Amino acid sequence: MTNPTSTTPTAAARAGRREWTALGVLMLPLLLVSMDVSVLYFAIPAISADLRPSGTQQLWIFDIYAFVLAGLLMTMGSLGDRVGRRRLLLFGAAAFGAASLTAAYATSPGTLIAARAVLGVGGATLMPSTMALVRTMFTDPGQRAKAIGIWSGVMTGGIALGSVLSGVLVQYFWWGSVFLVNLPAMALLLVLGPFLLPESKNPSPGRFDPLGVALSMAAVLPVVYGLKEIPSEGVHPLYVVSITVGLLFAALFVHRQRTVASPMISPALFRGRGFAPAVVLNLVSAFAMTGSAYFTTQYLQSVLGKSAMEAALWSLLPSVPIGMAAPVAARLVQRGVQRAYVVTAGFAIAAAGYALLACAGTDALWLVLVACGVLASGVVTVMSQLTDLALGAAPVEQAGAASSLLETGSEFGGALGMAVLGSIGTAVYRHEIPSGAPAPAHETLGGALAVAGQLPGQAGRDLTAAAREAFTHGMQGAALAGTAVLVVAAAVAGTALRRIRVQDSEPAAQAEEAKADAAQAVA
């Protein structure tokens, strides 16, 4: 008798209207989870005026969501493989909705921080579950590539849309409305999910590993914390120690995964052809995307003098080509273009975007917008193809673990991009700011503009011009470094992926070998 929860497909059956409708339902929570990364950009001033949090509490209100999300991705991906991805998805949707309601009507900073933490828990269940369910519903390689392209575009576009939506809602309503918009989508998922989404899990998952969960969080959280703080605070010993401690726990986590009977992340995943290169190169693409955003958001507001709302609306323009990039890449691969060439071209396009950014002066709005659009198109091309490659190389039974590993890598890559490129830009800025400028002007562009506003006449204007010039030169230096990283990534992708064909995503022999390895490990 066939096990109704088994995820091993009998054939690469083509998905029908039901599966594509289910994909549309899945995209709603994914959009909201990605939007919540940036939805507080414009709401923080209103929250500060209403709840009056301390400086530390304000930082936790903003950052706790991303920290919890990053720390729990691997845990939730592995848990979904064990208890069922649909079940975990619906649980996460309920938690996300309840936490959104609590956050919207929070009356104290502590309540809002706690609600944001629960939102992170919900987000950590939703992200790998949606990707794993895409892998389960779309067994045909061509259809899966198209579905993953949609997934990548929604994920990337949601981050850009979050800041704009928060600005509009805060302007016309109150700050709690940025959380209430989550409720209709989560309610729709809870109502339609049980009917449209198939249940899927690993039929032989082995025992859950609580120690592995603790080690994974002890590895991820200190590293992400250190990398996120370095761009704004500098290379402080505390952050170096934090990253070092996280890396030590990461080594312990890897050792346990290689020796425990039922690992969270099976080493057999990395024997899937193309899986390891896909994870690493996907990390590099997240490095590029987040590193550029660190500069361009400040450039629009502090260099060009746009208001927060104007900057957010202008930043939507580079998102337009994102929706076309992934489908075009998928179509090229389906028509016989080798995936290695498409991924290499994506990295080259992204590198061209950084090269354009390196040419921007202090009054180059359209050049910066074009550069961001080119960069984003290249990155989404790369991410969609690498996600498809990694999920295709992983056994369906371990789709949740594979998805969570990809997304954890993206979190690391984003934090690393901010740390490395942000540090380069900050170093150039501090080197070029006039030595006689007040101390706050040497720290950040925002500090310089605040000081300049208090200086009389020409002195204030001179400091403003010098600070904007120094920041732009810092952005140019970081963009050149990003160009170099992406050129190297293009070369690596061309070499590492050259022998991997589209058909290699679904080798039955590899799937059977991975299942045999897992069964042997359990035994």
Side-chain angles (χ1 to χ4, degrees):
M1 182 179 295
T2 302
N3 186 341
T5 61
S6 174
T7 57
T8 305
T10 57
R14 290 184 62 81
R17 181 179 301 174
R18 180 189 181 93
E19 286 78 14
W20 288 108
T21 304
L23 178 67
V25 174
L26 282 178
M27 292 305 98
L28 287 174
L30 177 66
L31 179 67
L32 293 171
V33 169
S34 60
M35 283 170 51
D36 261 48
V37 174
S38 57
V39 77
L40 290 188
Y41 282 174
F42 296 145
I44 280 290
I47 292 172
S48 298
D50 189 14
L51 302 184
R52 301 189 181 279
S54 66
T56 301
Q57 288 175 323
Q58 180 169 306
L59 288 174
W60 278 114
I61 288 171
F62 196 85
D63 289 337
I64 190 67
Y65 175 80
F67 286 150
V68 173
L69 179 70
L72 287 177
L73 279 170
M74 285 192 290
T75 298
M76 293 304 179
S78 177
L79 187 62
D81 288 342
R82 285 168 164 78
V83 305
R85 291 129 194 175
R86 184 183 68 184
R87 179 180 299 175
L88 188 65
L89 178 74
L90 296 179
F91 169 81
F96 203 88
S100 297
L101 188 62
T102 303
Y105 293 100
T107 56
S108 68
T111 302
L112 184 54
I113 291 170
R116 288 278 289 170
V118 177
L119 282 170
V121 175
T125 67
L126 292 167
M127 291 176 67
S129 295
T130 55
M131 188 185 291
L133 283 168
V134 168
R135 173 69 173 94
T136 302
M137 293 189 299
F138 297 93
T139 56
D140 176 77
Q143 288 188 318
R144 190 187 63 237
K146 183 178 180 180
I148 288 176
I150 296 171
W151 191 99
S152 301
V154 169
M155 184 69 190
T156 308
I159 297 175
L161 184 61
S163 60
V164 177
L165 181 64
S166 70
V168 172
L169 290 174
V170 170
Q171 181 170 342
Y172 292 103
F173 302 98
W174 97 110
W175 60 264
S177 60
V178 304
F179 298 108
L180 290 182
V181 293
N182 297 333
L183 298 181
M186 295 304 162
L188 186 65
L189 177 60
L190 289 171
V191 171
L192 298 181
F195 301 100
L196 291 175
L197 301 174
E199 182 57 285
S200 63
K201 64 180 180 180
N202 188 340
S204 303
R207 298 180 61 182
F208 194 62
D209 182 21
L211 181 56
V213 170
L215 288 175
S216 70
M217 295 186 68
V220 172
L221 293 177
V223 174
V224 172
Y225 170 74
L227 291 176
K228 283 182 174 291
E229 293 299 317
I230 284 175
S232 57
E233 304 296 332
V235 186
H236 190 278
L238 173 63
Y239 308 138
V240 175
V241 170
S242 179
I243 293 172
T244 303
V245 169
L247 293 177
L248 290 175
F249 276 110
L252 292 174
F253 174 74
V254 171
H255 175 73
R256 181 163 181 82
Q257 300 312 292
R258 297 180 65 178
T259 56
V260 73
S262 301
M264 287 174 55
I265 306 294
S266 173
L269 277 174
F270 291 90
R271 289 197 285 272
R273 193 170 185 186
F275 184 83
V279 171
V280 174
L281 291 171
N282 191 65
L283 184 152
V284 175
S285 62
F287 173 101
M289 179 68 86
T290 308
S292 68
Y294 176 79
F295 290 97
T296 54
T297 53
Q298 294 185 70
Y299 180 87
L300 291 174
Q301 293 184 71
S302 299
V303 175
L304 296 183
K306 304 293 183 184
S307 67
M309 179 60 70
E310 287 175 328
L313 292 174
W314 279 113
S315 67
L316 279 180
L317 286 181
S319 302
V320 174
I322 291 177
M324 298 181 288
V328 169
R331 180 65 62 87
L332 289 174
V333 172
Q334 291 167 22
R335 290 183 176 235
V337 179
Q338 195 170 346
R339 194 193 302 270
Y341 297 151
V342 175
V343 174
T344 300
F347 275 123
I349 292 169
Y354 260 129
L356 287 173
L357 194 62
C359 298
T362 55
D363 187 18
L365 171 63
W366 285 103
L367 179 59
V368 168
L369 294 177
V370 170
C372 291
V374 172
L375 172 62
S377 297
V379 167
V380 170
T381 296
V382 169
M383 283 185 163
S384 62
Q385 286 301 304
L386 293 177
T387 300
D388 184 41
L389 174 61
L391 291 183
V396 179
E397 291 80 2
Q398 299 178 33
S403 302
S404 67
L405 196 59
L406 272 173
E407 289 160 4
T408 302
S410 294
E411 293 292 329
F412 273 124
L416 190 63
M418 290 185 66
V420 173
L421 299 184
S423 296
I424 291 173
T426 299
V428 173
Y429 171 83
R430 290 175 178 173
H431 176 73
E432 295 205 1
I433 201 75
S435 57
H442 286 270
E443 295 299 318
T444 63
L445 174 58
L449 296 179
V451 170
Q454 300 172 0
L455 296 177
Q458 190 61 39
R461 290 190 291 271
D462 289 344
L463 179 57
T464 296
R468 286 173 171 168
E469 189 78 22
F471 177 86
T472 303
H473 289 166
M475 182 178 72
Q476 292 169 349
L480 289 174
T483 303
V485 169
L486 292 175
V487 168
V488 172
V492 171
T495 302
L497 306 180
R498 184 175 300 164
R499 296 182 180 180
I500 301 174
R501 300 170 300 168
V502 175
Q503 292 83 357
D504 290 336
S505 299
E506 334 288 329
Q510 285 183 7
E512 292 300 322
E513 179 184 350
K515 286 187 283 185
D517 289 340
Q520 183 179 359
V522 172

